[in-house]
Coordinates of all heavy atoms in Angstrom, one line a residue:
V249 N -20.5 16.1 -3.5 CA -19.6 16.7 -4.1 C -20.1 17.6 -5.2 O -19.4 18.6 -5.6 CB -18.5 15.7 -4.7 CG1 -17.4 16.3 -5.5 CG2 -18.0 14.9 -3.4
A250 N -21.1 17.2 -5.8 CA -21.6 17.8 -7.0 C -22.2 19.3 -6.6 O -22.4 20.2 -7.4 CB -22.7 17.1 -7.7
Q251 N -22.5 19.3 -5.3 CA -23.1 20.7 -4.8 C -22.3 21.2 -3.7 O -22.7 21.3 -2.5 CB -24.6 20.4 -4.4 CG -25.4 20.0 -5.5 CD -26.9 19.7 -5.0 OE1 -27.2 19.8 -3.9 NE2 -27.7 19.3 -5.9
P252 N -21.0 21.6 -4.0 CA -20.2 22.1 -2.8 C -20.7 23.5 -2.4 O -21.2 24.2 -3.1 CB -18.8 22.2 -3.5 CG -19.1 22.4 -4.9 CD -20.4 21.7 -5.3
T253 N -20.3 23.8 -1.2 CA -20.6 25.2 -0.6 C -19.2 25.8 -0.4 O -18.2 25.2 -0.3 CB -21.3 25.1 0.7 OG1 -20.5 24.4 1.6 CG2 -22.6 24.3 0.5
K254 N -19.3 27.2 -0.3 CA -18.1 27.9 -0.1 C -17.5 27.6 1.2 O -16.3 27.7 1.4 CB -18.4 29.4 -0.3 CG -18.8 29.8 -1.7 CD -19.0 31.4 -1.7 CE -19.4 31.8 -3.1 NZ -19.6 33.2 -3.2
E255 N -18.3 27.3 2.1 CA -17.9 27.2 3.6 C -17.4 25.7 3.8 O -16.8 25.4 4.8 CB -19.0 27.4 4.5 CG -19.5 28.9 4.5 CD -20.4 29.1 3.3 OE1 -20.9 28.2 2.7 OE2 -20.8 30.3 3.1
T256 N -17.6 24.7 2.9 CA -17.4 23.4 3.2 C -16.3 22.7 2.3 O -16.5 22.9 1.1 CB -18.7 22.6 3.1 OG1 -19.7 23.2 4.0 CG2 -18.4 21.2 3.6
S257 N -15.3 22.0 2.7 CA -14.4 21.2 2.0 C -14.8 19.8 2.3 O -14.9 19.4 3.5 CB -13.1 21.6 2.3 OG -12.7 21.3 3.6
M258 N -14.9 18.9 1.3 CA -15.2 17.5 1.5 C -14.1 16.6 1.8 O -13.2 16.7 1.1 CB -16.1 17.0 0.3 CG -17.3 17.8 0.0 SD -18.5 17.8 1.4 CE -18.8 16.0 1.5
V259 N -14.2 15.8 2.9 CA -13.2 14.9 3.1 C -13.9 13.5 3.4 O -14.7 13.4 4.2 CB -12.3 15.2 4.5 CG1 -11.4 14.0 4.7 CG2 -11.6 16.5 4.3
T260 N -13.7 12.6 2.5 CA -14.4 11.3 2.5 C -13.6 10.4 3.6 O -12.5 10.1 3.4 CB -14.5 10.7 1.2 OG1 -15.1 11.5 0.3 CG2 -15.2 9.3 1.2
Q261 N -14.4 9.8 4.6 CA -13.8 9.0 5.5 C -14.6 7.7 5.4 O -15.8 7.7 5.6 CB -13.7 9.5 6.9 CG -12.7 10.6 7.0 CD -12.6 11.1 8.5 OE1 -13.3 10.6 9.4 NE2 -11.5 11.9 8.7
V262 N -13.9 6.5 5.3 CA -14.7 5.2 5.4 C -13.9 4.3 6.3 O -12.7 4.7 6.6 CB -14.7 4.6 4.0 CG1 -15.7 5.4 3.1 CG2 -13.4 4.5 3.3
S263 N -14.5 3.3 6.8 CA -13.9 2.5 7.9 C -13.4 1.3 7.3 O -14.1 0.6 6.5 CB -14.8 2.4 9.0 OG -16.0 1.6 8.6
G264 N -12.3 0.7 7.9 CA -11.8 -0.7 7.6 C -11.4 -1.1 9.0 O -11.7 -0.5 10.2
N265 N -10.6 -2.2 9.1 CA -10.1 -2.7 10.4 C -8.5 -2.8 10.3 O -8.0 -3.2 9.3 CB -10.7 -4.0 10.7 CG -12.1 -3.9 11.0 OD1 -12.6 -2.9 11.6 ND2 -12.9 -4.9 10.5
I266 N -7.9 -2.4 11.5 CA -6.5 -2.6 11.6 C -6.3 -3.4 12.9 O -7.0 -3.0 14.0 CB -5.7 -1.4 11.7 CG1 -5.7 -0.6 10.4 CG2 -4.3 -1.7 12.1 CD1 -5.0 0.8 10.5
Y267 N -5.7 -4.5 12.9 CA -5.5 -5.4 14.1 C -4.0 -5.2 14.4 O -3.2 -5.6 13.6 CB -5.8 -6.9 13.8 CG -7.3 -7.0 13.5 CD1 -7.7 -6.9 12.1 CD2 -8.2 -7.3 14.4 CE1 -9.1 -7.1 11.8 CE2 -9.6 -7.5 14.2 CZ -10.0 -7.3 12.7 OH -11.3 -7.5 12.5
L268 N -3.7 -4.9 15.6 CA -2.4 -4.7 16.1 C -2.0 -5.9 17.1 O -2.8 -6.1 18.1 CB -2.1 -3.4 16.9 CG -2.5 -2.1 16.0 CD1 -2.2 -0.9 16.9 CD2 -1.6 -2.2 14.8
Y269 N -0.9 -6.5 16.9 CA -0.5 -7.7 17.7 C 1.0 -7.4 18.2 O 1.8 -7.0 17.5 CB -0.5 -8.9 16.9 CG -1.9 -9.4 16.6 CD1 -2.4 -8.9 15.4 CD2 -2.5 -10.2 17.4 CE1 -3.7 -9.3 15.0 CE2 -3.9 -10.6 17.1 CZ -4.5 -10.2 15.8 OH -5.7 -10.5 15.5
G270 N 1.2 -7.6 19.5 CA 2.5 -7.5 20.1 C 3.0 -8.7 20.6 O 2.3 -9.6 21.1
E271 N 4.4 -9.0 20.5 CA 5.0 -10.2 21.0 C 6.5 -10.0 21.2 O 7.1 -9.0 20.9 CB 4.6 -11.3 20.1 CG 4.8 -11.0 18.6 CD 6.2 -11.3 18.1 OE1 7.0 -10.4 18.2 OE2 6.4 -12.4 17.5
T272 N 7.1 -11.1 21.6 CA 8.5 -11.2 21.6 C 9.1 -11.9 20.4 O 8.5 -12.8 20.0 CB 9.0 -11.8 22.9 OG1 8.4 -13.1 23.0 CG2 8.7 -11.0 24.1
H273 N 10.2 -11.5 19.9 CA 10.8 -12.1 18.7 C 11.2 -13.5 18.9 O 11.8 -13.7 20.1 CB 12.0 -11.3 18.2 CG 11.6 -9.9 17.6 ND1 10.8 -9.8 16.6 CD2 11.9 -8.7 18.1 CE1 10.7 -8.5 16.3 NE2 11.3 -7.8 17.2
G274 N 11.2 -14.4 18.0 CA 11.8 -15.6 17.9 C 11.2 -16.7 18.8 O 12.0 -17.7 19.0
E275 N 10.1 -16.6 19.4 CA 9.4 -17.6 20.1 C 8.5 -18.5 19.3 O 7.5 -17.9 18.7 CB 8.6 -17.1 21.3 CG 9.6 -16.5 22.4 CD 8.8 -16.2 23.7 OE1 7.6 -16.7 23.9 OE2 9.4 -15.6 24.6
A276 N 8.7 -19.8 19.2 CA 8.0 -20.6 18.3 C 6.4 -20.6 18.4 O 5.7 -20.5 17.5 CB 8.5 -22.1 18.4

Side-chain angles (χ1 to χ4, degrees):
V249 175
Q251 299 177 357
T253 64
K254 294 181 180 179
E255 296 80 10
T256 306
S257 61
M258 300 301 300
V259 177
T260 302
Q261 292 189 349
V262 288
S263 63
N265 293 321
I266 295 177
Y267 298 88
L268 300 180
Y269 293 87
E271 45 87 276
T272 52
H273 290 298
E275 290 194 11

